[in-house]
Amino acid sequence: SGAIRKMNAYTEQYNSILKEKCLENFTEEDFEKEEEKYHIMKAFEQGLNAARSHGGFIDEGNQIYLSQIGINGTVAQKCVSEYLALENKLLMEGKEPMHRMQIQFLENMAEKFKGNSEAVINYKGMQKDSKSSMLKHGDTRLLK
């Protein structure tokens, strides 16, 4: 019953996302297209959180993450420092930075660094999207 409850919860979340994003379905190919954006935003989100607790500096682990997705750590540090300075300016003015402001920063970083991971992929001799290995609706290759 626990597994059924979890599957039901996942299905409800999936349907909620489809409705919110006005989509009919979401394929593995769609997922692959969004993956770089996700990793850029996650790396900067973690970098921001680390910087807030490390005197404004992105920690080593998140610097490694940024490097792995093709983003120069010094450039990322500059972006994070500028964002934190903006937050501090608002605080000094008696205002509170809102969560939406951080989301906008993360979305801006995703747009700014879009395509950077491709250089890493090319350097390693890998393929960006291997359509032949993607699961398709009704795919039974894994059952053999």
Side-chain angles (χ1 to χ4, degrees), residues 67-93:
S67 179
Q68 288 172 337
I69 60 174
I71 299 173
N72 179 285
T74 303
V75 175
Q77 179 64 59
K78 179 181 181 286
C79 294
V80 166
S81 294
E82 289 171 353
Y83 175 79
L84 291 175
L86 180 59
E87 279 190 343
N88 286 330
K89 180 180 181 282
L90 288 173
L91 290 170
M92 296 300 274
E93 294 171 355

Side-chain angles (χ1 to χ4, degrees), residues 23-103:
L23 299 170
E24 289 184 31
N25 64 8
F26 193 76
T27 66
E28 187 172 6
E29 188 172 359
D30 296 326
F31 176 83
E32 292 289 333
K33 288 177 185 174
E34 291 291 320
E35 192 168 21
E36 182 186 48
K37 179 180 179 181
Y38 167 82
H39 282 290
I40 293 169
M41 291 177 70
K42 183 54 71 179
F44 274 96
E45 178 185 29
Q46 290 178 184
L48 271 175
N49 290 330
R52 286 185 178 119
S53 62
H54 289 94
F57 293 99
I58 300 173
D59 66 319
E60 180 182 4
N62 286 302
Q63 285 284 356
I64 291 168
Y65 186 11
L66 289 158
S67 179
Q68 288 172 337
I69 60 174
I71 299 173
N72 179 285
T74 303
V75 175
Q77 179 64 59
K78 179 181 181 286
C79 294
V80 166
S81 294
E82 289 171 353
Y83 175 79
L84 291 175
L86 180 59
E87 279 190 343
N88 286 330
K89 180 180 181 282
L90 288 173
L91 290 170
M92 296 300 274
E93 294 171 355
K95 301 174 185 170
E96 294 182 359
M98 303 303 289
H99 184 258
R100 181 69 194 135
M101 183 176 145
Q102 178 174 312
I103 297 299

Side-chain angles (χ1 to χ4, degrees), residues 119-134:
V120 175
I121 291 167
N122 291 337
Y123 173 75
K124 292 180 177 183
M126 299 168 66
Q127 295 178 1
K128 183 174 182 190
D129 294 315
S130 177
K131 294 191 188 320
S132 65
S133 65
M134 287 186 190

Side-chain angles (χ1 to χ4, degrees), residues 132-143:
S132 65
S133 65
M134 287 186 190
L135 292 175
K136 312 241 183 321
H137 182 70
D139 200 335
T140 59
R141 287 177 291 171
L142 297 177
L143 300 176

